[in-house]
Amino acid sequence: MGAATLYQLARAGASVVGIDRFAPPHDQGSSHGDTRITRLAVGEGAAYIPFVRRSHVIWRELEAESGEALFEQCGVLVMTSSEAPARHHGSEDFTGNTIELARRYGIDHEILHASQIKARFPQFGPIRDDAIGYFEPEGGFVRPEKCIAAQLDAARNLGAAVITGETVSSIESEGGVVRIKTGERTIMANKAIVCAGMWSANLLGEPFSALLKVCRQKLFWFKLEEPSIFPQLSPTFILSHGPLETDICYGFPPIPGEGSMKIATEQYTALDSIDTLDRTVSDEEVAQMYQSHLAGNFAGVTPELVKAAVCTYTVTPDYGFIIDDHPAFANVTVVSACSGHGFKHSAGIGEAVAQRTLTGRSDVDLSAFSLSRFGAR
Ligand SMILES: Cc1cc2nc3c(=O)[nH]c(=O)nc-3n(C[C@H](O)[C@H](O)[C@H](O)COP(=O)(O)OP(=O)(O)OC[C@H]3O[C@@H](n4cnc5c(N)ncnc54)[C@H](O)[C@@H]3O)c2cc1C
């Protein structure tokens, strides 16, 4: 969110500085792990659709500028293979909502029955015979680290300053001027935008500490059988295979040369403190992932782990994003809590936040992301 916002502000001609405690792209927050799903029919809610639409355009512009492949339009397949509809990211029937939004917003798609899914995508051969699928050809995946690097490079080329390895210790405003303190310096700015991911509550205090929870998530890359029936650049997928919000997994086609399939599930237990985040994935967690999500749902994937990573979701009580002014500090905007599906929207969010910061309004309506919905203003 920070890289996208910095890039868009620089592109609009603002005098702008980005500050990060690490050197993005890095693997300490919520934006690492090689790939992120993108889809236009955002089952989490219609308010997100303009962001992802703009992001798809911006990824292509950045690809032309940087020469990097950022967005693989391999399609996305959202499936329910269970008796009851599945809850996901706050939506009671995620696949149903996705289909409904695609119809309402004219998003190109196909509805596939189990026999069609199995024939076209044999890697999902074991799914139930009454499973249903939504296939969106415009979806696929983006490469988060490359997207971040491309936006930071572009921002620098447009004159933005990027300070890395420096932690912001406080943000205050007085008389309309924002004072940003790090261990090394104090920066006075007309405006500040805080995109601090899982560190947001620590930096901003109330009401964010009451609203945000940080949840540890794991990413797994399992080795494919040889010869592989999991084609490269086949669709990314979200598979609901039970009624609980943990009965869901999502994954990616094999990246050329890797011989593995990246897959993950989600959980919503809050960390007591982000300082206690366990960044290692245990053998038990690997075995549990395979047994609970892969066995019986996929063909062609072995239980052998190639690599694993830990990442975090920063989640609000209604799973929605927060993009709003800080209630106590004038001219400070908070962009965070992207609850597990933020990356696909990030380029569009950066553009909307830059517009709002510079002109007071944005092309995309941001009212669905206000703090007022929590009674927090
Ligand atoms: C496992 C996993 C899978 C996901 N899958 C998808 C997906 O398939 N599709 C999708 O669209 N989204 C997905 N998401 C969500 C998406 O990746 C995140 O919503 C998004 O990347 C969050 O970006 P962010 O900028 O808010 O946070 P971050 O990328 O964590 O950035 C926060 C930055 O703030 C910096 N910072 C924090 N505090 C300070 C401070 N005090 N001073 C200076 N710098 C500071 C940090 O160093 C960091 O660089 C997934 C997330 C995870 C964890």
Side-chain angles (χ1 to χ4, degrees):
M1 300 297 157
T5 306
L6 188 80
Y7 166 53
Q8 294 293 340
L9 284 167
R11 203 177 174 189
S15 169
V16 62
V17 52
I19 310 168
D20 202 289
R21 64 194 304 150
F22 300 112
H26 59 74
D27 63 1
Q28 299 297 301
S30 304
S31 303
H32 57 281
D34 308 339
T35 47
R36 290 289 187 271
I37 292 179
T38 183
R39 50 196 154 82
L40 292 178
V42 186
E44 289 87 346
Y48 297 97
I49 294 175
F51 291 143
V52 66
R53 279 198 158 131
R54 278 301 299 152
S55 296
H56 283 193
V57 174
I58 296 168
W59 304 136
R60 291 298 184 220
E61 290 170 0
L62 283 163
E63 281 182 332
E65 201 175 313
S66 66
E68 290 282 355
L70 305 177
F71 173 23
E72 295 289 356
Q73 214 156 8
C74 53
V76 61
L77 184 58
V78 180
M79 295 170 282
T80 293
S81 175
S82 75
E83 254 171 60
R87 207 180 136 69
H88 181 50
H89 290 172
S91 158
E92 293 298 330
D93 174 6
F94 187 73
T95 306
N97 260 12
T98 300
I99 293 170
E100 208 270 309
L101 285 174
R103 286 184 177 140
R104 199 172 354 138
Y105 288 89
I107 295 164
D108 191 16
H109 69 282
E110 289 174 67
I111 306 300
L112 301 178
H113 296 288
S115 56
Q116 296 166 301
I117 297 172
K118 290 169 193 244
R120 220 158 124 184
F121 308 111
Q123 62 269 38
F124 305 117
I127 58 170
R128 288 167 60 107
D129 289 337
D130 59 356
I132 180 151
Y134 162 90
F135 177 68
E136 184 187 294
E138 284 186 64
F141 65 87
V142 289
R143 297 172 181 267
E145 292 89 346
K146 289 185 177 180
C147 291
I148 291 168
Q151 290 171 108
L152 291 180
D153 285 349
R156 283 189 191 95
N157 290 340
L158 290 162
V162 179
I163 300 171
T164 58
E166 212 168 298
T167 302
V168 173
S169 51
S170 71
I171 301 176
E172 295 160 351
S173 52
E174 213 180 284
V177 176
V178 185
R179 191 186 308 115
I180 300 145
K181 281 192 183 161
T182 74
E184 322 283 316
R185 68 193 94 205
T186 299
I187 295 173
M188 308 297 274
N190 292 330
K191 301 204 174 179
I193 300 159
V194 183
C195 312
M198 72 167 172
W199 294 270
S200 299
N202 286 15
L203 181 60
L204 298 168
E206 293 299 345
F208 300 95
S209 25
L211 290 175
L212 304 183
K213 65 174 178 178
V214 177
C215 308
R216 175 178 177 264
Q217 311 294 347
K218 296 151 286 180
L219 298 165
F220 304 84
W221 285 256
F222 284 100
K223 192 171 179 194
L224 295 175
E225 276 172 7
E226 287 291 344
S228 175
I229 63 161
F230 223 114
Q232 288 177 5
L233 299 188
S234 55
T236 53
F237 61 86
I238 300 174
L239 172 66
S240 309
H241 55 85
L244 306 176
E245 61 185 0
T246 46
D247 293 332
I248 199 155
C249 58
Y250 62 90
F252 300 80
I255 303 289
E258 284 202 332
S260 63
M261 189 265 270
K262 177 184 158 189
I263 187 163
T265 183
E266 301 182 327
Q267 66 83 31
Y268 287 97
T269 306
L271 289 172
D272 291 336
S273 151
I274 55 173
D275 301 328
T276 60
L277 173 65
D278 180 358
R279 292 185 179 273
T280 56
V281 177
S282 69
D283 291 347
E284 192 187 339
E285 288 175 324
V286 175
Q288 192 184 33
M289 180 69 197
Y290 188 84
Q291 278 312 320
S292 309
H293 295 280
L294 280 112
N297 288 320
F298 297 89
V301 189
T302 75
E304 191 181 327
L305 187 77
V306 173
K307 62 175 178 171
V310 167
C311 201
T312 54
Y313 284 2
T314 304
V315 186
T316 63
D318 66 2
Y319 298 76
F321 297 180
I322 293 172
I323 304 172
D324 204 352
D325 296 331
H326 192 292
F329 299 129
N331 296 325
V332 176
T333 301
V334 179
V335 181
S336 203
C338 301
S339 301
H341 69 112
F343 207 92
K344 68 177 71 54
H345 307 296
S346 58
I349 289 178
E351 183 180 64
V353 170
Q355 288 170 350
R356 183 180 183 273
T357 304
L358 298 177
T359 70
R361 60 168 303 281
S362 56
D363 293 344
V364 176
D365 178 7
L366 300 177
S367 56
F369 310 106
S370 75
L371 275 169
S372 61
R373 72 188 195 274
F374 303 115
R377 301 215 55 165

